């Protein structure tokens, strides 16, 4: 009887444990099925029906205005740091197009829709609201309100700007002078190398023109000598003075008419020095054309050399460097 009771208890415990295991297994299976149903159910798309805002506000970060502009290709806003005193509208447009190659058309308009010039400074642009047109999409930009500075504060700001300018000049001007002097010396050396062969040709042309001018002057002396000899021969050996006097009068009158014609044609007095210089220039251009000497190129190079030398002279005199050219040039 004792053994039968133990057997019955053992059977009852086995049945109870089996029932508990089946319940745990069914609960675990139900949890797995619920997870699978949640994982494999159809996905749902969540979209915003509100259109992106076309209003942009200029913000100041670290004392500098920053403009957040939406870029069409990247589909995100890009922060552009502005320098109102150094940049203009053209610089802002170039920065936007450089940042996003997909930007084909960019323009800056006023609040009334009028197109602004590329030369408009950003300081003037930020003084009131404006619009930016990017790929046919218009964005309204709201500029922050500025407080009106008092006269004393404005004077203080001007003094600070002057001090900063003087400090910048004291720190960077000597270095800038050295770079400028180096560039001018290199330019002067290059110009002199171009002028060196032309100077040799010019010297040869001048020598030939001077030789031709001397021959013309000696020829004039010879003609006058022959004329005086002929008149003397006719006066004392062939005819008398009574016959030769009217002839010499008409010769003198013809010479006066020649001098007057020279003045009418050349607008210069018929002096020996002016006639010689005019004849020299005529011979010089004639010989230069025959020798292939470019007079205009030579003159332009000489003018450039003179300008570079004048800049070097001003650069090496710091007291006169910041003065106008009219005050530095010597008075006639």
């Amino acid at each position: 009887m004792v053994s039968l009771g133990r057997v019955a208890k053992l059977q009852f415990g086995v049945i109870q444990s089996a029932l508990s295991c089946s319940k745990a297994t069914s609960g675990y299976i139900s949890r797995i099925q619920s997870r699978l149903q949640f994982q494999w159910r159809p996905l749902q798309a969540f979209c915003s029906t509100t259109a992106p805002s076309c209003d942009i506000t200029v913000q100041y970060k670290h004392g500098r205005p920053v403009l957040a502009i939406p870029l069409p290709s990247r589909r995100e806003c890009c922060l552009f740091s502005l320098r109102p005193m150094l940049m203009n509208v053209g610089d802002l447009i170039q920065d936007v197009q450089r940042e996003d190659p997909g930007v084909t058309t960019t323009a800056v308009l006023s609040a009334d829709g009028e197109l602004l010039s590329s030369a408009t400074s950003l300081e003037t642009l930020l003084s009131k609201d404006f619009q930016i047109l990017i790929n046919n999409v218009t964005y309204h930009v709201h500029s922050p309100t500025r407080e009106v500075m008092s006269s004393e504060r404005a004077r203080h700001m001007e003094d600070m700007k002057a001090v900063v300018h003087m400090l910048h000049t004291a720190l960077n001007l000597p270095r800038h002078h050295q770079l400028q002097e180096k560039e001018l010396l290199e330019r002067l050396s290059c110009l002199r190398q171009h002028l060196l062969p032309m100077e040799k040709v010019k010297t040869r042309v001048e020598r030939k023109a001077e030789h031709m001018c001397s021959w013309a002057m000696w020829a004039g002396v010879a003609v006058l000598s022959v004329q005086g000899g002929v008149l003397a021969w006719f006066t004392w050996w062939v005819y008398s003075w009574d016959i030769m006097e009217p002839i010499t009068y008409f010769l003198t009158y013809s010479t006066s008419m020649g001098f007057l014609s020279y003045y009418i044609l050349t607008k210069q007095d018929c002096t020996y020095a002016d006639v010689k210089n005019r004849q020299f220039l005529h011979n010089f251009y004639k010989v230069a054309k025959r020798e292939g000497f470019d007079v205009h190129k030579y003159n332009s190079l000489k003018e450039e050399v003179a300008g570079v030398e004048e800049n070097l002279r001003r650069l090496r005199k710091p007291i006169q460097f910041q003065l106008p050219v009219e005050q530095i040039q010597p008075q006639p």
Side-chain angles (χ1 to χ4, degrees):
M1 292 297 290
V2 176
S3 61
L4 290 174
R6 289 180 178 179
V7 171
K9 289 181 179 181
L10 287 173
Q11 290 180 353
F12 181 77
V14 170
I15 293 171
Q16 188 177 3
S17 62
L19 291 174
S20 63
C21 289
S22 64
K23 288 181 180 180
T25 304
S26 62
Y28 182 72
I29 293 173
S30 62
R31 286 197 301 270
I32 293 176
Q33 288 179 354
S34 63
R35 289 182 181 180
L36 289 175
Q37 289 178 1
F38 179 79
Q39 183 176 3
W40 292 100
R41 65 182 178 180
L43 297 176
Q44 296 179 359
F46 297 93
C47 301
S48 176
T49 57
T50 60
S53 177
C54 293
D55 293 338
I56 303 174
T57 303
V58 179
Q59 300 177 357
Y60 280 84
K61 293 185 178 180
H62 305 289
R64 180 174 293 182
V66 177
L67 187 61
I69 301 178
L71 299 179
S73 298
R74 297 164 56 175
R75 296 180 181 179
E76 61 181 2
C77 291
C78 183
L79 297 178
F80 291 89
S81 182
L82 308 178
R83 293 174 294 176
M85 299 183 64
L86 301 178
M87 295 177 61
N88 52 24
V89 172
D91 297 332
L92 177 60
I93 293 175
Q94 291 179 1
D95 291 344
V96 173
Q97 293 177 349
R98 191 184 303 113
E99 186 68 26
D100 188 357
V103 177
T104 57
T105 58
T106 309
V108 178
L109 311 175
S110 64
D112 300 331
E114 298 179 355
L115 182 64
L116 296 179
S117 173
S118 299
T120 305
S121 64
L122 290 186
E123 187 175 8
T124 304
L125 181 66
L126 294 176
S127 61
K128 51 187 177 181
D129 297 345
F130 60 95
Q131 301 177 10
I132 295 182
L133 179 65
I134 300 177
N135 290 355
N136 299 326
V137 179
T138 304
Y139 299 95
H140 301 276
V141 182
H142 302 282
S143 299
T145 57
R146 295 183 179 182
E147 59 179 4
V148 180
M149 291 191 301
S150 61
S151 59
E152 183 178 358
R153 185 177 178 185
R155 194 182 308 110
H156 181 65
M157 290 295 295
E158 291 296 330
D159 294 340
M160 289 184 61
K161 290 180 181 179
V163 171
V164 171
H165 176 70
M166 293 174 62
L167 182 61
H168 175 77
T169 302
L171 293 177
N172 298 325
L173 192 59
R175 178 62 178 169
H176 177 70
H177 283 183
Q178 292 177 1
L179 294 176
Q180 288 292 107
E181 184 177 5
K182 183 179 179 181
E183 292 178 1
L184 290 174
L185 289 175
E186 291 178 355
R187 179 62 178 167
L188 184 61
S189 177
C190 182
L191 290 174
R192 286 177 176 174
Q193 288 180 0
H194 284 85
L195 276 175
L196 185 60
M198 299 187 73
E199 288 286 354
K200 296 179 180 179
V201 180
K202 176 178 173 291
T203 303
R204 185 169 64 251
V205 171
E206 286 180 345
R207 187 166 54 251
K208 292 182 179 181
E210 185 68 27
H211 184 69
M212 295 173 64
C213 189
S214 299
W215 271 104
M217 293 180 65
W218 284 109
V221 173
V223 169
L224 291 176
S225 300
V226 171
Q227 179 183 351
V230 170
L231 290 176
W233 183 64
F234 276 121
T235 301
W236 283 292
W237 282 277
V238 179
Y239 303 108
S240 62
W241 175 248
D242 295 335
I243 297 175
M244 295 302 299
E245 183 179 6
I247 296 175
T248 56
Y249 172 78
F250 283 110
L251 284 175
T252 306
Y253 184 77
S254 300
T255 304
S256 302
M257 290 182 62
F259 286 136
L260 181 61
S261 301
Y262 178 86
Y263 176 78
I264 293 174
L265 294 175
T266 63
K267 300 298 184 297
Q268 293 179 353
D269 293 334
C270 188
T271 59
Y272 294 119
D274 293 339
V275 173
K276 180 182 179 298
N277 293 334
R278 187 176 183 83
Q279 186 63 29
F280 174 80
L281 289 176
H282 176 73
N283 296 333
F284 180 83
Y285 280 95
K286 185 177 179 180
V287 177
K289 185 177 181 180
R290 187 167 61 246
E291 295 287 337
F293 178 72
D294 193 350
V295 180
H296 298 288
K297 182 179 179 180
Y298 176 81
N299 291 335
S300 63
L301 289 176
K302 291 292 287 185
E303 290 178 358
E304 290 185 17
V305 169
V308 172
E309 290 178 348
E310 178 65 20
N311 291 334
L312 278 174
R313 187 182 67 83
R314 293 181 59 193
L315 191 63
R316 289 167 178 171
K317 292 184 178 181
I319 297 178
Q320 296 183 353
F321 183 75
Q322 297 181 354
L323 296 179
V325 180
E326 293 78 7
Q327 298 183 14
I328 297 175
Q329 291 178 349
Q331 297 295 332

